[in-house]
Amino acid sequence: MDLDLSKLKPRKQTYWITRFIFLRGLGFVYFFAFLSAAMQVLPLLGDKGLLPINLFVERIAGDSLLQSFMNNPSLFMLTQSDTLLVGFAWVGVVLSLVVLLGHSNSIIMLILWFLYLSYVNIGQLFYGFGWEIQLCEIGFLAIFLVPLLDGRPFPKRETPLPFIWLIRWFLFRFYLGSGLIKLRGSECWQDFTCLYYHFETQPIPN
């Protein structure tokens, strides 16, 4: 039997599995990010913490509450309650577990993103690292990967291809930037000798 290969059409890329694994991984990262906040936010940013957010908000607040919120989008620009500092973190823990268990939609991902952004924008030194911004960026992209309401692990809506490419662009920038910042920051990375001692001096488990 002759097989006419010209009539065979390439299978369309749907990225169902990609989306499923990506969201579970993001839920995993969100879970520990919010759990860390729930356990540490009061001694770090609470009313009696090392860098109280009420003093920070007073310092950066302008004449208009709305303008202050637009400059630093955060729920804690509106209130600096210790109870809400911890409470919102536990809300994030619960919602991230929901995502980790396979259920997510745009509303859940939007809440997770804005909750974490709220901590980053008032976190000062404790939330001033690159990975905090990266989690906010990738969390924002995840809002558009899922349907608005359908929270099933494999919803009917196809994975939007433009956002797959945006995630790839994010990963490219992440890897390139990680390398460039090392080359810029130390001579031993420039002459390729840092790894002679890197694993002996870094706090890496045995």
mmCIF file of all heavy atoms in Angstrom, residues 146-166:
data_model
loop_
_atom_site.group_PDB
_atom_site.id
_atom_site.type_symbol
_atom_site.label_atom_id
_atom_site.label_comp_id
_atom_site.label_asym_id
_atom_site.label_seq_id
_atom_site.Cartn_x
_atom_site.Cartn_y
_atom_site.Cartn_z
ATOM 1 N N VAL A 146 -4.602 30.766 31.468
ATOM 2 C CA VAL A 146 -5.746 29.956 31.886
ATOM 3 C C VAL A 146 -7.049 30.697 31.582
ATOM 4 O O VAL A 146 -7.060 31.916 31.415
ATOM 5 C CB VAL A 146 -5.659 29.641 33.398
ATOM 6 C CG1 VAL A 146 -4.583 28.612 33.673
ATOM 7 C CG2 VAL A 146 -5.380 30.904 34.206
ATOM 8 N N PRO A 147 -8.159 29.967 31.524
ATOM 9 C CA PRO A 147 -9.452 30.621 31.296
ATOM 10 C C PRO A 147 -9.835 31.520 32.463
ATOM 11 O O PRO A 147 -9.293 31.410 33.566
ATOM 12 C CB PRO A 147 -10.426 29.437 31.175
ATOM 13 C CG PRO A 147 -9.581 28.246 30.908
ATOM 14 C CD PRO A 147 -8.272 28.501 31.565
ATOM 15 N N LEU A 148 -10.789 32.404 32.214
ATOM 16 C CA LEU A 148 -11.220 33.338 33.250
ATOM 17 C C LEU A 148 -11.849 32.616 34.434
ATOM 18 O O LEU A 148 -11.557 32.942 35.593
ATOM 19 C CB LEU A 148 -12.208 34.351 32.653
ATOM 20 C CG LEU A 148 -12.762 35.397 33.627
ATOM 21 C CD1 LEU A 148 -11.645 36.276 34.160
ATOM 22 C CD2 LEU A 148 -13.841 36.235 32.953
ATOM 23 N N LEU A 149 -12.703 31.628 34.163
ATOM 24 C CA LEU A 149 -13.454 30.978 35.244
ATOM 25 C C LEU A 149 -13.197 29.481 35.344
ATOM 26 O O LEU A 149 -13.263 28.918 36.436
ATOM 27 C CB LEU A 149 -14.958 31.223 35.048
ATOM 28 C CG LEU A 149 -15.406 32.692 35.106
ATOM 29 C CD1 LEU A 149 -16.890 32.793 34.775
ATOM 30 C CD2 LEU A 149 -15.123 33.304 36.475
ATOM 31 N N ASP A 150 -12.961 28.823 34.243
ATOM 32 C CA ASP A 150 -12.798 27.371 34.235
ATOM 33 C C ASP A 150 -11.534 26.983 34.989
ATOM 34 O O ASP A 150 -10.424 27.288 34.554
ATOM 35 C CB ASP A 150 -12.738 26.860 32.797
ATOM 36 C CG ASP A 150 -12.808 25.344 32.712
ATOM 37 O OD1 ASP A 150 -12.722 24.683 33.765
ATOM 38 O OD2 ASP A 150 -12.966 24.823 31.595
ATOM 39 N N GLY A 151 -11.690 26.318 36.127
ATOM 40 C CA GLY A 151 -10.548 25.987 36.963
ATOM 41 C C GLY A 151 -10.101 24.547 36.872
ATOM 42 O O GLY A 151 -9.309 24.087 37.690
ATOM 43 N N ARG A 152 -10.564 23.811 35.864
ATOM 44 C CA ARG A 152 -10.189 22.406 35.731
ATOM 45 C C ARG A 152 -8.725 22.267 35.315
ATOM 46 O O ARG A 152 -8.172 23.164 34.672
ATOM 47 C CB ARG A 152 -11.087 21.715 34.702
ATOM 48 C CG ARG A 152 -12.534 21.592 35.150
ATOM 49 C CD ARG A 152 -13.400 21.019 34.057
ATOM 50 N NE ARG A 152 -13.444 21.917 32.896
ATOM 51 C CZ ARG A 152 -14.115 21.628 31.782
ATOM 52 N NH1 ARG A 152 -14.769 20.479 31.678
ATOM 53 N NH2 ARG A 152 -14.125 22.490 30.777
ATOM 54 N N PRO A 153 -8.094 21.148 35.683
ATOM 55 C CA PRO A 153 -6.686 20.957 35.303
ATOM 56 C C PRO A 153 -6.454 21.021 33.791
ATOM 57 O O PRO A 153 -5.427 21.505 33.337
ATOM 58 C CB PRO A 153 -6.363 19.565 35.853
ATOM 59 C CG PRO A 153 -7.338 19.363 36.967
ATOM 60 C CD PRO A 153 -8.587 20.067 36.554
ATOM 61 N N PHE A 154 -7.418 20.518 32.989
ATOM 62 C CA PHE A 154 -7.308 20.554 31.532
ATOM 63 C C PHE A 154 -8.567 21.208 30.965
ATOM 64 O O PHE A 154 -9.491 20.525 30.512
ATOM 65 C CB PHE A 154 -7.128 19.147 30.967
ATOM 66 C CG PHE A 154 -5.835 18.499 31.375
ATOM 67 C CD1 PHE A 154 -5.802 17.611 32.443
ATOM 68 C CD2 PHE A 154 -4.652 18.793 30.716
ATOM 69 C CE1 PHE A 154 -4.609 17.025 32.833
ATOM 70 C CE2 PHE A 154 -3.460 18.204 31.092
ATOM 71 C CZ PHE A 154 -3.428 17.315 32.158
ATOM 72 N N PRO A 155 -8.624 22.531 30.988
ATOM 73 C CA PRO A 155 -9.818 23.231 30.502
ATOM 74 C C PRO A 155 -9.943 23.128 28.983
ATOM 75 O O PRO A 155 -8.990 22.759 28.279
ATOM 76 C CB PRO A 155 -9.575 24.673 30.936
ATOM 77 C CG PRO A 155 -8.089 24.802 31.004
ATOM 78 C CD PRO A 155 -7.578 23.460 31.443
ATOM 79 N N LYS A 156 -11.133 23.471 28.475
ATOM 80 C CA LYS A 156 -11.368 23.403 27.034
ATOM 81 C C LYS A 156 -10.579 24.454 26.270
ATOM 82 O O LYS A 156 -10.179 24.239 25.136
ATOM 83 C CB LYS A 156 -12.866 23.572 26.753
ATOM 84 C CG LYS A 156 -13.718 22.392 27.186
ATOM 85 C CD LYS A 156 -15.168 22.600 26.790
ATOM 86 C CE LYS A 156 -16.019 21.394 27.180
ATOM 87 N NZ LYS A 156 -17.447 21.591 26.798
ATOM 88 N N ARG A 157 -10.370 25.606 26.880
ATOM 89 C CA ARG A 157 -9.651 26.681 26.189
ATOM 90 C C ARG A 157 -8.210 26.273 25.921
ATOM 91 O O ARG A 157 -7.505 25.799 26.814
ATOM 92 C CB ARG A 157 -9.681 27.948 27.032
ATOM 93 C CG ARG A 157 -8.915 29.117 26.414
ATOM 94 C CD ARG A 157 -8.711 30.239 27.424
ATOM 95 N NE ARG A 157 -7.759 31.216 26.918
ATOM 96 C CZ ARG A 157 -7.198 32.152 27.680
ATOM 97 N NH1 ARG A 157 -7.501 32.236 28.952
ATOM 98 N NH2 ARG A 157 -6.345 33.015 27.165
ATOM 99 N N GLU A 158 -7.781 26.456 24.688
ATOM 100 C CA GLU A 158 -6.412 26.112 24.332
ATOM 101 C C GLU A 158 -5.417 27.063 24.990
ATOM 102 O O GLU A 158 -5.747 28.198 25.337
ATOM 103 C CB GLU A 158 -6.236 26.153 22.807
ATOM 104 C CG GLU A 158 -6.994 25.068 22.072
ATOM 105 C CD GLU A 158 -6.658 25.064 20.595
ATOM 106 O OE1 GLU A 158 -5.831 25.906 20.170
ATOM 107 O OE2 GLU A 158 -7.229 24.225 19.872
ATOM 108 N N THR A 159 -4.199 26.583 25.143
ATOM 109 C CA THR A 159 -3.142 27.417 25.709
ATOM 110 C C THR A 159 -2.777 28.519 24.720
ATOM 111 O O THR A 159 -2.445 28.228 23.565
ATOM 112 C CB THR A 159 -1.892 26.566 25.991
ATOM 113 O OG1 THR A 159 -2.257 25.446 26.797
ATOM 114 C CG2 THR A 159 -0.840 27.384 26.712
ATOM 115 N N PRO A 160 -2.854 29.791 25.115
ATOM 116 C CA PRO A 160 -2.525 30.890 24.181
ATOM 117 C C PRO A 160 -1.041 30.860 23.801
ATOM 118 O O PRO A 160 -0.168 31.012 24.647
ATOM 119 C CB PRO A 160 -2.860 32.147 24.984
ATOM 120 C CG PRO A 160 -3.715 31.684 26.114
ATOM 121 C CD PRO A 160 -3.300 30.288 26.420
ATOM 122 N N LEU A 161 -0.767 30.657 22.530
ATOM 123 C CA LEU A 161 0.608 30.524 22.056
ATOM 124 C C LEU A 161 1.466 31.764 22.317
ATOM 125 O O LEU A 161 2.642 31.629 22.672
ATOM 126 C CB LEU A 161 0.612 30.176 20.567
ATOM 127 C CG LEU A 161 1.978 29.857 19.956
ATOM 128 C CD1 LEU A 161 2.631 28.691 20.686
ATOM 129 C CD2 LEU A 161 1.835 29.543 18.472
ATOM 130 N N PRO A 162 0.931 32.999 22.173
ATOM 131 C CA PRO A 162 1.793 34.174 22.449
ATOM 132 C C PRO A 162 2.381 34.170 23.854
ATOM 133 O O PRO A 162 3.521 34.617 24.047
ATOM 134 C CB PRO A 162 0.840 35.357 22.236
ATOM 135 C CG PRO A 162 -0.195 34.851 21.289
ATOM 136 C CD PRO A 162 -0.382 33.413 21.650
ATOM 137 N N PHE A 163 1.633 33.650 24.821
ATOM 138 C CA PHE A 163 2.152 33.670 26.189
ATOM 139 C C PHE A 163 3.159 32.549 26.430
ATOM 140 O O PHE A 163 4.002 32.657 27.320
ATOM 141 C CB PHE A 163 0.987 33.615 27.181
ATOM 142 C CG PHE A 163 0.195 34.885 27.190
ATOM 143 C CD1 PHE A 163 -0.960 34.998 26.431
ATOM 144 C CD2 PHE A 163 0.627 35.983 27.901
ATOM 145 C CE1 PHE A 163 -1.677 36.176 26.405
ATOM 146 C CE2 PHE A 163 -0.077 37.169 27.879
ATOM 147 C CZ PHE A 163 -1.226 37.269 27.128
ATOM 148 N N ILE A 164 3.085 31.491 25.634
ATOM 149 C CA ILE A 164 4.149 30.484 25.672
ATOM 150 C C ILE A 164 5.458 31.124 25.218
ATOM 151 O O ILE A 164 6.519 30.931 25.818
ATOM 152 C CB ILE A 164 3.797 29.285 24.770
ATOM 153 C CG1 ILE A 164 2.586 28.514 25.340
ATOM 154 C CG2 ILE A 164 5.000 28.353 24.627
ATOM 155 C CD1 ILE A 164 2.840 27.843 26.657
ATOM 156 N N TRP A 165 5.402 31.935 24.159
ATOM 157 C CA TRP A 165 6.606 32.611 23.669
ATOM 158 C C TRP A 165 7.089 33.673 24.655
ATOM 159 O O TRP A 165 8.305 33.880 24.797
ATOM 160 C CB TRP A 165 6.341 33.224 22.304
ATOM 161 C CG TRP A 165 6.400 32.182 21.222
ATOM 162 C CD1 TRP A 165 5.344 31.609 20.571
ATOM 163 C CD2 TRP A 165 7.574 31.568 20.696
ATOM 164 N NE1 TRP A 165 5.793 30.674 19.674
ATOM 165 C CE2 TRP A 165 7.155 30.632 19.714
ATOM 166 C CE3 TRP A 165 8.939 31.720 20.942
ATOM 167 C CZ2 TRP A 165 8.057 29.851 18.996
ATOM 168 C CZ3 TRP A 165 9.842 30.947 20.227
ATOM 169 C CH2 TRP A 165 9.395 30.016 19.267
ATOM 170 N N LEU A 166 6.164 34.330 25.337
ATOM 171 C CA LEU A 166 6.583 35.314 26.349
ATOM 172 C C LEU A 166 7.285 34.634 27.513
ATOM 173 O O LEU A 166 8.242 35.187 28.083
ATOM 174 C CB LEU A 166 5.366 36.096 26.852
ATOM 175 C CG LEU A 166 4.829 37.166 25.894
ATOM 176 C CD1 LEU A 166 3.525 37.747 26.429
ATOM 177 C CD2 LEU A 166 5.863 38.273 25.687
#
